[in-house]
Protein backbone atom coordinates (compact mmCIF):
# COMPACT_ATOMS: atom_id res chain seq x y z
CA UNK A 1 0.00 0.00 0.00
CA UNK A 2 1.34 3.43 -0.94
CA UNK A 3 1.76 6.17 1.64
CA UNK A 4 -0.71 9.04 1.98
CA UNK A 5 -0.19 11.47 -0.96
CA UNK A 6 2.06 14.44 -0.09
CA UNK A 7 -0.55 16.91 -1.32
CA UNK A 8 -2.76 15.83 1.62
CA UNK A 9 0.05 16.10 4.19
CA UNK A 10 0.34 19.89 4.09
CA UNK A 11 -0.22 20.73 7.76
CA UNK A 12 2.09 21.15 10.73
CA UNK A 13 1.26 21.43 14.41
CA UNK A 14 2.74 21.37 17.90
CA UNK A 15 2.38 18.17 19.96
CA UNK A 16 2.74 18.65 23.71
CA UNK A 17 3.16 15.56 25.91
CA UNK A 18 2.60 15.70 29.66
CA UNK A 19 5.82 14.43 31.26
CA UNK A 20 5.30 15.41 34.90
CA UNK A 21 3.55 17.77 37.29
CA UNK A 22 5.08 20.78 39.01
CA UNK A 23 4.91 21.49 42.75
CA UNK A 24 1.44 23.05 42.32
CA UNK A 25 0.08 20.07 40.38
CA UNK A 26 0.10 21.78 36.99
CA UNK A 27 1.19 19.60 34.03
CA UNK A 28 4.69 20.05 32.60
CA UNK A 29 4.85 19.41 28.84
CA UNK A 30 7.54 18.37 26.37
CA UNK A 31 6.93 19.91 22.92
CA UNK A 32 7.67 18.58 19.43
CA UNK A 33 6.72 20.07 16.06
CA UNK A 34 4.92 17.66 13.71
CA UNK A 35 5.37 18.22 9.97
CA UNK A 36 3.67 16.71 6.91
CA UNK A 37 0.46 15.73 8.69
CA UNK A 38 -3.17 16.15 7.67
CA UNK A 39 -5.53 17.83 10.13
CA UNK A 40 -9.26 18.03 9.54
CA UNK A 41 -10.52 20.30 12.31
CA UNK A 42 -14.20 20.88 12.96
CA UNK A 43 -15.28 17.32 12.24
CA UNK A 44 -17.83 16.07 14.72
CA UNK A 45 -21.22 14.39 14.72
CA UNK A 46 -20.21 11.33 16.67
CA UNK A 47 -21.91 10.36 19.90
CA UNK A 48 -19.59 10.52 22.89
CA UNK A 49 -19.92 9.27 26.46
CA UNK A 50 -17.00 11.46 27.52
CA UNK A 51 -17.41 14.73 29.34
CA UNK A 52 -18.53 17.75 27.33
CA UNK A 53 -14.95 19.00 27.03
CA UNK A 54 -13.89 15.81 25.23
CA UNK A 55 -16.43 15.72 22.40
CA UNK A 56 -14.49 14.84 19.20
CA UNK A 57 -13.72 17.91 17.14
CA UNK A 58 -11.11 16.87 14.61
CA UNK A 59 -8.87 14.22 13.14
CA UNK A 60 -5.09 14.20 12.62
CA UNK A 61 -3.51 11.77 10.14
CA UNK A 62 0.15 10.88 10.70
CA UNK A 63 1.80 8.98 7.82
CA UNK A 64 4.46 6.44 8.88
CA UNK A 65 6.63 7.24 5.84
CA UNK A 66 6.24 10.98 5.19
CA UNK A 67 5.21 12.62 8.49
CA UNK A 68 7.95 13.93 10.77
CA UNK A 69 9.49 13.31 13.18
CA UNK A 70 9.66 9.55 12.74
CA UNK A 71 8.70 7.44 15.76
CA UNK A 72 6.06 9.74 17.23
CA UNK A 73 3.25 8.03 19.12
CA UNK A 74 0.04 9.49 20.47
CA UNK A 75 -1.17 8.96 24.04
CA UNK A 76 -4.87 9.64 24.68
CA UNK A 77 -5.62 12.25 27.36
CA UNK A 78 -1.89 12.89 27.99
CA UNK A 79 -1.17 15.01 24.90
CA UNK A 80 -2.33 18.30 23.41
CA UNK A 81 -2.15 19.30 19.72
CA UNK A 82 -1.98 23.02 18.88
CA UNK A 83 -3.06 23.90 15.35
CA UNK A 84 -4.35 27.15 13.89
CA UNK A 85 -4.08 28.92 17.24
CA UNK A 86 -6.33 26.39 19.02
CA UNK A 87 -5.46 23.52 21.34
CA UNK A 88 -7.07 20.09 21.16
CA UNK A 89 -6.66 17.09 23.48
CA UNK A 90 -5.72 13.71 21.97
CA UNK A 91 -8.77 11.51 22.63
CA UNK A 92 -7.85 8.30 20.81
CA UNK A 93 -5.35 6.82 18.36
CA UNK A 94 -5.90 4.10 15.76
CA UNK A 95 -2.94 2.40 14.09
CA UNK A 96 -3.41 1.16 10.51
CA UNK A 97 -0.93 -1.46 9.34
CA UNK A 98 -0.21 -3.15 6.01
CA UNK A 99 1.91 -6.28 5.78
CA UNK A 100 2.75 -6.05 9.49
CA UNK A 101 4.16 -2.52 9.15
CA UNK A 102 2.59 0.72 10.33
CA UNK A 103 1.01 2.62 7.43
CA UNK A 104 -0.55 5.58 9.26
CA UNK A 105 -2.25 6.68 12.48
CA UNK A 106 -5.63 8.34 12.81
CA UNK A 107 -5.83 10.54 15.91
CA UNK A 108 -9.14 11.88 17.20
CA UNK A 109 -8.95 15.34 18.73
CA UNK A 110 -11.30 17.10 21.15
CA UNK A 111 -11.55 20.61 22.48
CA UNK A 112 -9.14 21.13 25.34
Amino acid sequence: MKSIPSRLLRDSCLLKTEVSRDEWGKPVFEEVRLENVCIQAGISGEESNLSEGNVPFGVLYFDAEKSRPVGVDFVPLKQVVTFGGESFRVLSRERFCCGGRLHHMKVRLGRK
Side-chain angles (χ1 to χ4, degrees):
M1 182 184 300
K2 292 183 180 180
S3 63
I4 297 173
S6 295
R7 71 180 183 280
L8 299 176
L9 301 171
R10 64 186 184 276
D11 299 318
S12 63
C13 62
L14 188 65
L15 177 68
K16 298 194 296 189
T17 303
E18 184 180 324
V19 292
S20 65
R21 298 256 173 180
D22 67 15
E23 58 269 15
W24 296 282
K26 289 185 69 171
V28 175
F29 292 98
E30 179 179 274
E31 298 181 358
V32 64
R33 184 130 188 102
L34 304 183
E35 302 285 342
N36 305 325
V37 297
C38 177
I39 299 176
Q40 297 175 345
I43 296 171
S44 63
E46 294 187 10
E47 295 289 327
S48 177
N49 292 329
L50 301 173
S51 69
E52 186 177 333
N54 287 334
V55 174
F57 186 78
V59 179
L60 180 150
Y61 293 94
F62 188 92
D63 186 81
E65 185 178 312
K66 295 180 181 172
S67 296
R68 296 289 179 260
V70 173
V72 169
D73 200 4
F74 297 89
V75 182
L77 306 179
K78 292 285 186 183
Q79 292 176 314
V80 174
V81 171
T82 302
F83 172 75
E86 292 192 63
S87 293
F88 306 95
R89 185 158 308 281
V90 172
L91 299 180
S92 66
R93 181 255 298 140
E94 292 178 78
R95 296 169 57 90
F96 294 89
C97 298
C98 181
R101 292 181 48 195
L102 179 65
H103 182 267
H104 72 278
M105 289 184 274
K106 180 180 179 180
V107 182
R108 295 218 179 265
L109 305 172
R111 288 240 186 238
K112 186 171 176 248

